[in-house]
Amino acid sequence: MPQFSRPSRSALSAWVAAVVVTVLPTWELWRERLGFEESSPWAAGGSERLYMYVCRFNSGSTLSPLAPLRHDLEAVKGITTEWPVPTLVVLLGLAACLGRGDPGAAGRRAAGLLVLIAAIDPLASLYGERGICRETAPLFGAEWFTGVAGGWGITQLCLLAAAMLVLVASRGMRSVTAEEMEESQAGMMWRRPAAALADYLIIGSVLSAVVGLAWPIIGFQIGMGTGLLKRAEAAVFRSGVEPANLAVVAGLCAYFWIQHAVWGRTLGKRLLGIRVIAVRTGERPGTGKAGLRTSAFPLFALVPGAGLWFLLVDGLWMLLDPEGRALHDRLLGAAVVRDRARAAKPQT
């Protein structure tokens, strides 16, 4: 039986340092925001405020798949930066390391999640300076790489430092009888979001191509700056549904549902070498299970107000789960495993 881990004095000091390092960016953000709201003329309204709204809602008219991605990442960034989510990640990682399980695996999951949070801001700032308002830079162009490289600031450095501290602290907390993390779950903390990002870009590319073909027929430009989260809100959860938005949401659900039911993996999962299996059988989920999983993710994640918080809880659940499974997979009896581990004994 795995026993509870006991942190050494140096490991405990590393955990405390990681908490302090993650608190600093959130504290500075709120301190600067309060000072900005008190002194900035933007808060008083006027032409400057109108100009800001015009640029915000009319940017991203290019056909780049990064246009909707940037807006959705900004929505995710609003939760991870304005609230002490990184600090919560560190505390949950410590709780997982103190529990019955492998502290090394729990530490790697917490550190990986901190790195993902750090990468959100650079990825959400993929814009150029063309025209009056900023527009999304072309994918993999020189401007794109410049935006990514220049998006790393003090907040990202603090989160990366906290990730290193978590790794160091968790290595010094291995329990004597704890087993190593299963090969099927190794690397899931980065493979799963990387696969989701690949799927997003594939969907965005198809959407861009469809919009590009429709422009000459419709006779006017369709903005691509709106993220999929906003399109889903307008298509399903608001009155005055637009057929185009409804078609985007329907296509998004069909993309995940059909591929998971037929192959057990999407195109993004194929690229990252992972697949979804039913825990009881070790095979791909059936049509019904795949439909339920699609309803939980990504459909439920698109619900305005609650969707982003569901994504947050879903990701944080992986820190405390002994097998590193997401909440929606745990509830539906599914698991995401490496392709080479498919023949291994299913999880129970």
Side-chain angles (χ1 to χ4, degrees):
M1 289 287 295
Q3 298 178 353
F4 291 106
S5 303
R6 295 182 178 179
S8 62
R9 182 173 299 180
S10 59
L12 187 58
S13 300
W15 282 110
V16 173
V19 170
V20 173
V21 170
T22 55
V23 167
L24 289 176
T26 304
W27 168 257
E28 287 296 323
L29 175 65
W30 278 100
R31 188 173 64 85
E32 293 177 1
R33 172 168 295 182
L34 292 176
F36 178 80
E37 291 178 352
E38 292 176 357
S39 60
S40 175
W42 294 78
S47 59
E48 294 88 355
R49 188 175 183 181
L50 177 62
Y51 173 81
M52 178 183 67
Y53 282 123
V54 170
C55 286
R56 178 177 179 85
F57 291 103
N58 286 279
S59 63
S61 60
T62 65
L63 294 180
S64 171
L66 290 178
L69 173 63
R70 180 171 64 90
H71 284 269
D72 283 341
L73 287 177
E74 284 178 345
V76 176
K77 183 180 68 174
I79 291 180
T80 58
T81 57
E82 294 180 8
W83 300 98
V85 174
T87 305
L88 182 60
V89 169
V90 175
L91 294 177
L92 289 177
L94 174 59
C97 288
L98 293 174
R100 296 179 181 270
D102 181 10
R108 286 191 292 270
R109 293 172 192 150
L113 192 53
L114 288 172
V115 173
L116 289 176
I117 295 175
I120 289 177
D121 193 34
L123 290 176
S125 302
L126 303 180
Y127 51 75
E129 295 292 344
R130 300 184 301 276
I132 299 177
C133 302
R134 307 183 203 185
E135 295 183 357
T136 305
L139 181 63
F140 298 131
E143 204 171 20
W144 183 84
F145 285 106
T146 301
V148 174
W152 294 83
I154 187 63
T155 298
Q156 286 67 42
L157 293 179
C158 287
L159 293 178
L160 293 180
M164 292 297 298
L165 289 170
V166 168
L167 284 177
V168 172
S170 61
R171 285 182 177 273
M173 294 180 60
R174 288 186 179 274
S175 57
V176 178
T177 57
E179 298 179 355
E180 291 296 323
M181 183 175 57
E182 293 184 9
E183 184 182 15
S184 62
Q185 290 298 318
M188 285 295 114
M189 185 54 70
W190 72 269
R191 288 179 183 273
R192 295 190 66 171
L197 178 60
D199 285 326
Y200 193 107
L201 292 179
I202 291 171
I203 295 171
S205 299
V206 173
L207 181 61
S208 300
V210 171
V211 171
L213 292 175
W215 275 5
I217 300 175
I218 299 176
F220 63 93
Q221 293 186 351
I222 303 174
M224 284 289 295
T226 303
L228 295 181
L229 296 176
K230 183 63 67 175
R231 286 183 179 274
E233 179 181 351
V236 182
F237 303 101
R238 285 186 178 180
S239 59
V241 175
E242 296 183 6
N245 289 335
L246 188 60
V248 169
V249 176
L252 179 68
C253 294
Y255 176 88
F256 288 94
W257 187 1
I258 295 174
Q259 292 190 83
H260 282 143
V262 177
W263 300 290
R265 54 183 178 173
T266 60
L267 293 176
K269 288 184 174 65
R270 287 179 183 272
L271 293 174
L272 273 297
I274 58 178
R275 68 173 62 242
V276 178
I277 63 171
V279 172
R280 291 183 178 273
T281 63
E283 300 296 330
R284 67 177 182 271
T287 303
K289 284 278 186 163
L292 289 175
R293 191 178 186 276
T294 302
S295 298
F297 182 83
L299 185 59
F300 189 77
L302 300 177
V303 177
L308 291 180
W309 290 102
F310 169 77
L311 287 178
L312 176 63
V313 174
D314 203 37
L316 294 179
W317 180 272
M318 297 177 66
L319 298 178
L320 297 177
D321 192 276
E323 297 169 356
R325 293 159 64 184
L327 179 60
H328 66 274
D329 285 328
R330 172 65 69 177
L331 294 177
L332 297 174
V336 179
V337 299
R338 301 279 292 276
D339 276 342
R340 64 184 182 184
R342 187 188 180 194
K345 183 179 179 180
Q347 303 170 13
T348 57

